C-alpha cells in the first residue's frame, strides 16, 4: 500500500478545516473530538520517512502541537490543517529535533493570520521565553525580517490584501514557562506536565498528559524509563513513548537512562496500566521488517494492551482506531 493510501485508510481527517472568520476576526474552527496525529516519529537524523518530533492534538476548538521539530510543520500541512488554526504550542524540551519548526510556525502563522487571529499560546521549559525573544524580538534572529514586513510598503499591501488593518503588529507569542507539576486548564481539556528523564541538567525535560471527558493521551517527550512517567501516564488511553533503539544495544548505562528501548517500555506501559502503547522516536536501524515485529512481539510478552508502531501522519483517538498491531509501510 502506498503511503497516501495507507494514510487514507486510517480514516484520518484530510479535509481542510473550514474555519470561518467571524465579524471580530477570530477563527471559529469546528469542535473536534480528542485525537492525536503523529507529525514526526523520527529522531535528529535526517529522514524522508520520519520527520523529527511533533504531535498534533485536536480537542474541542483548539489545535495544539506538542513539540515541533524539523519537518513536523510540513506534516501538519499534509494532515490537512492550516498553520493559522494552531492555537497552542507545547515543548517538552529544547533539543533542536523538538523545536526547530517553532520559528516556521510562529512566522507563517503571523504572516497568514494578518492580525486577525490571536497570538500563539506557547508553553515550554526555560529558556523558551529567551529563545522566543531571541527569535522574534527586535534584536532577534528574525528581527530585520519582521521589521521589513511591518514597515515596507510592499509587505503592508499584502498584509492589507489579506484583511489586515494597519498598523501591523509584530508577532508576539504568549509564552508561559512550565515545569513538572504545572497544570494548564483549557476549554474542555487539562494538560498536566510531568518529569521526563533525559539530559538533565543541561535541558529541563518534560512530559505531557491531556485529559478530557473523551479520554486521555500521555506523551513522554524524550525519556528513559522513569517512575515519574509511570505516575503521569497511569491509566491513560494512549501512551506515546520514545522507543529509540533495540534493547541491549545501548552503548552505556547513561544512554539507557536518557533514551528508552522497547523492553524497558514494555515494563513502563504495564506498570502504568495504559490501554495502548504507541512507539515513536524510532531510529532507522530498528525501523526494519522483522526487527519491528520482534520488538512488538517482545513488548506484548510483557504488556497486555495494544502496541502501535508509530508512523508519520497516523491519527489516533482514545476510543481506538482501525490500526492493527503493526501497520507496515510498503510504498
Ligand atoms: Zn531530546
Amino acid at each position: 500500500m502506498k503511503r497516501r493510501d495507507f494514510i487514507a485508510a486510517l480514516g484520518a481527517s484530510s479535509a481542510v478545516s473550514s474555519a470561518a472568520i467571524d465579524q471580530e476576526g477570530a477563527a471559529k474552527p469546528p469542535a473536534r473530538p480528542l485525537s492525536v496525529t503523529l507529525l514526526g516519529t523520527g529522531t535528529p537524523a535526517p529522514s524522508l520517512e520520519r520527520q523529527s518530533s511533533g504531535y498534533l492534538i485536536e480537542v474541542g476548538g483548539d489545535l495544539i502541537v506538542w513539540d515541533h521539530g524539523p519537518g513536523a510543520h510540513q506534516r501538519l500541512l499534509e494532515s490537512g490543517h492550516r498553520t493559522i488554526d494552531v492555537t497552542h504550542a507545547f515543548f517538552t524540551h529544547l533539543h533542536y529535533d523538538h523545536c526547530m519548526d517553532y520559528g516556521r510556525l510562529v512566522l507563517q502563522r503571523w504572516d497568514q493570520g494578518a492580525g486577525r487571529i490571536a497570538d500563539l499560546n506557547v508553553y515550554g521549559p526555560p529558556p523558551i521565553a529567551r529563545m522566543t525573544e531571541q527569535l522574534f524580538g527586535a534584536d532577534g534572529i528574525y528581527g530585520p525580517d519582521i521589521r521589513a514586513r511591518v514597515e515596507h510598503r510592499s509587505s503592508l499591501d499584502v498584509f492589507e490584501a489579506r484583511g489586515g488593518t494597519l498598523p501591523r503588529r509584530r508577532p508576539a507569542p504568549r509564552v508561559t514557562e512550565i515545569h513538572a507539576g504545572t497544570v494548564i486548564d483549557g476549554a474542555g481539556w487539562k494538560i498536566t506536565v510531568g518529569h521526563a528523564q533525559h539530559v538533565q541538567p543541561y535541558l529541563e525535560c518534560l512530559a505531557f498528559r491531556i485529559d478530557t471527558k473523551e479520554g486521555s493521551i500521555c506523551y513522554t517527550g524524550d525519556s528513559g524509563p522513569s517512575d515519574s512517567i509511570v505516575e503521569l501516564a497511569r491509566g491513560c488511553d494512549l501512551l506515546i513513548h520514545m522507543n529509540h533503539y533495540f534493547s541491549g544495544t545501548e552503548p552505556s548505562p547513561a544512554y539507557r537512562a536518557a533514551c528508552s528501548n522497547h523492553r524497558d517500555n514494555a515494563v513502563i506501559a504495564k506498570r502504568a496500566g495504559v490501554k495502548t502503547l504507541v512507539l515513536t522516536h524510532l531510529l532507522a536501524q530498528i525501523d526494519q521488517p522483522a526487527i519491528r515485529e520482534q520488538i512488538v512481539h517482545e513488548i506484548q510478552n510483557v504488556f497486555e494492551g495494544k502496541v502501535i508502531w508509530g508512523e508519520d501522519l497516523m491519527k489516533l483517538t482514545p476510543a481506538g482506531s482501525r490500526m492493527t498491531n503493526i501497520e507496515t509501510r510498503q510504498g
Side-chain angles (χ1 to χ4, degrees):
M1 188 184 290
K2 300 291 188 208
R3 174 177 282 271
R4 288 287 159 203
D5 298 334
F6 166 73
I7 292 162
L10 295 178
S13 68
S14 57
V16 171
S17 165
S18 58
I21 303 296
D22 70 11
Q23 290 179 335
E24 287 76 45
K28 294 282 187 186
R32 309 172 178 93
L34 177 64
S35 69
V36 57
T37 301
L38 314 184
L39 300 179
T41 58
T43 70
S47 169
L48 297 177
E49 298 294 339
R50 295 184 181 276
Q51 301 302 318
S52 293
S53 295
Y55 302 86
L56 176 67
I57 303 291
E58 297 179 51
V59 56
D62 291 326
L63 218 54
I64 303 169
V65 295
W66 281 352
D67 288 339
H68 221 46
H73 198 76
Q74 188 70 23
R75 290 287 194 245
L76 182 137
L77 301 179
E78 290 175 337
S79 76
H81 293 284
R82 305 186 302 181
T83 303
I84 61 170
D85 293 331
V86 177
T87 56
H88 301 70
F90 283 72
F91 296 97
T92 58
H93 65 301
L94 298 181
H95 263 154
Y96 73 81
D97 59 311
H98 291 250
C99 64
M100 196 179 261
D101 272 4
Y102 179 35
R104 179 177 179 182
L105 171 62
V106 168
L107 292 172
Q108 291 189 337
R109 188 178 177 281
W110 169 71
D111 229 5
Q112 297 297 315
R116 299 189 300 158
I117 58 174
D119 286 308
L120 185 66
N121 298 296
V122 178
Y123 300 85
I128 187 67
R130 176 165 60 88
M131 174 185 276
T132 301
E133 178 63 24
Q134 289 178 335
L135 285 171
F136 313 115
D139 293 325
I141 291 167
Y142 296 111
D145 175 312
I146 292 168
R147 185 180 176 201
R149 290 177 198 276
V150 299
E151 294 190 15
H152 195 275
R153 188 66 249 172
S154 67
S155 295
L156 297 179
D157 288 344
V158 172
F159 173 74
E160 290 188 298
R162 288 177 177 145
T165 303
L166 296 176
R168 188 177 191 188
R169 293 174 52 248
R170 303 175 57 84
R174 294 187 283 206
V175 178
T176 303
E177 293 196 329
I178 56 175
H179 309 278
T182 302
V183 176
I184 299 108
D185 279 308
W189 53 264
K190 179 181 79 170
I191 288 178
T192 304
V193 181
H195 169 85
Q197 178 178 292
H198 191 40
V199 293
Q200 289 90 339
Y202 303 100
L203 294 176
E204 185 171 347
C205 302
L206 306 174
F208 301 137
R209 172 182 177 136
I210 185 166
D211 287 283
T212 76
K213 63 178 189 289
E214 299 167 82
S216 51
I217 300 169
C218 185
Y219 164 50
T220 62
D222 287 357
S223 183
S226 166
D227 289 345
S228 57
I229 294 295
V230 171
E231 289 308 310
L232 185 69
R234 190 170 297 287
C236 72
D237 295 294
L238 292 173
L239 171 60
I240 302 168
H241 206 307
M242 179 197 212
N243 195 96
H244 198 52
Y245 66 95
F246 196 96
S247 301
T249 64
E250 64 271 18
S252 70
Y255 186 91
R256 180 179 176 186
C259 300
S260 57
N261 62 70
H262 71 283
R263 289 178 196 143
D264 285 341
N265 284 349
V267 174
I268 295 292
K270 180 182 176 69
R271 288 179 58 203
V274 305
K275 292 180 183 155
T276 298
L277 172 64
V278 183
L279 307 177
T280 190
H281 209 293
L282 301 159
L283 279 173
Q285 292 92 314
I286 63 170
D287 191 18
Q288 309 286 339
I291 297 176
R292 61 186 169 218
E293 282 79 2
Q294 182 178 352
I295 286 174
V296 171
H297 176 71
E298 290 187 4
I299 291 175
Q300 289 180 319
N301 284 341
V302 174
F303 169 61
E304 293 181 348
K306 190 172 185 177
V307 181
I308 292 178
W309 189 264
E311 299 276 359
D312 286 15
L313 290 175
M314 265 184 185
K315 182 173 180 176
L316 304 166
T317 66
S321 70
R322 287 189 254 163
M323 304 304 306
T324 55
N325 284 338
I326 302 173
E327 289 282 345
T328 57
R329 182 178 57 241
Q330 299 170 17

